[in-house]
Amino acid sequence: MKVVAFNGSPREKGNTYFALKMVGEELEKEGIELEIVHVGNKAIRGCVGCNGCAKNRDEKCVMGDENFVNEWIQKIKEADGVLLGSPVHFASLGATMKAFLDRAFYVASVNGGLFRHKVGASVVAVRRSGGVPTFDQLNNYLNYSEMLMPSTNYWSVIHGLRPGDVEQDEEGKQIMRVLGKNMAWLLKMVDYTKDTIIPPEKENKKYTHFIR
């Protein structure tokens, strides 16, 4: 089994990276491979709502300026689980990570739910405040994609300023450790039951609004 983790920090090995590694160490103890993909140092345009991916249904974003976006979509499709990691940028989720997630999850949704029933979790590294709003933003992508979300013993937010400072946040380290254990357990449960328990059928999405 494999989990692909997306690091939304501009720093390749900042505190977000360390948080992802803490979760990954528990996964690797259970024989689950972890690959960390660095998103935050890329220039990624946001989704423009052109609906090209819905028309083509080829599992690709038509904005071909960043081929790595489509490569990452396929990484998620092929993986058993996904970890989304981000620092707090001023108010909440960084623009580069959000641009990637908007495009990737839009493509997935209009191509039959590519990420449906995969195991997904989010982690946030923060100096002081803004961790919970960012955590909530990340979880929204997982939740509305019908992904399976493991829990831990508090919000998955860890604190530190300089790279490596999170190693001193004992509560944060425990949160990441418990998340990793629960994620490994859920991944194994899904794998163990895939041939014996039939998942619920996918329902076609209904859209409503309240303008009369």
Side-chain angles (χ1 to χ4, degrees):
M1 286 184 285
K2 180 175 180 178
V3 169
V4 59
F6 293 93
N7 177 7
S9 172
R11 289 176 170 169
E12 182 179 2
K13 293 189 177 180
N15 283 321
T16 304
Y17 170 83
F18 286 107
L20 293 171
K21 286 291 289 182
M22 289 175 192
V23 179
E25 285 171 5
E26 300 302 323
L27 296 173
E28 290 168 348
K29 288 177 184 177
E30 298 297 325
I32 299 167
E33 180 185 353
L34 177 74
E35 177 186 359
I36 298 180
V37 176
H38 194 191
V39 176
N41 66 339
K42 305 292 192 301
I44 303 175
R45 290 193 296 162
C47 177
V48 297
C50 69
N51 289 320
C53 58
K55 294 173 184 175
N56 294 338
R57 297 186 185 276
D58 59 358
E59 302 181 0
K60 294 180 179 179
C61 175
V62 299
M63 295 167 62
D65 54 331
E66 306 106 356
N67 290 329
F68 41 79
V69 170
N70 287 326
E71 292 173 5
W72 295 343
I73 290 170
Q74 292 304 308
K75 279 184 179 291
I76 301 175
K77 178 186 174 183
E78 294 164 6
D80 301 286
V82 179
L83 266 174
L84 305 179
S86 177
V88 174
H89 285 219
F90 294 100
S92 55
L93 182 62
T96 301
M97 185 69 165
K98 186 178 186 304
F100 161 59
L101 293 176
D102 282 349
R103 289 169 60 180
F105 280 78
Y106 192 13
V107 169
S109 68
V110 297
N111 279 271
L114 296 180
F115 309 155
R116 186 171 182 258
H117 291 169
K118 293 183 182 296
V119 176
S122 304
V123 301
V124 177
V126 61
R127 179 188 69 83
R128 182 175 174 86
S129 300
V132 173
T134 304
F135 181 58
D136 181 58
Q137 281 185 295
L138 292 171
N139 283 338
N140 285 337
Y141 292 95
L142 308 176
N143 186 58
Y144 66 55
S145 300
E146 294 188 64
M147 296 179 74
L148 308 177
M149 299 167 62
S151 60
T152 182
N153 60 2
Y154 203 63
W155 294 299
S156 296
V157 179
I158 194 165
H159 292 76
L161 174 59
R162 293 171 294 275
D165 277 357
V166 291
E167 296 285 356
Q168 301 176 57
D169 181 0
E170 292 300 326
E171 182 176 2
K173 287 165 61 178
Q174 184 187 60
I175 290 167
M176 299 302 148
R177 188 167 61 248
V178 173
L179 176 61
K181 291 177 179 179
N182 287 340
M183 188 173 192
W185 178 65
L186 184 53
L187 282 160
K188 288 188 171 186
M189 289 246 291
V190 172
D191 184 63
Y192 184 76
T193 60
K194 65 183 179 183
D195 296 323
T196 56
I197 299 179
I198 300 173
E201 292 184 6
K202 180 175 174 56
E203 293 194 18
N204 291 327
K205 175 69 177 173
K206 293 185 181 295
Y207 293 93
T208 61
H209 58 78
F210 300 100
I211 299 174
R212 296 290 186 263

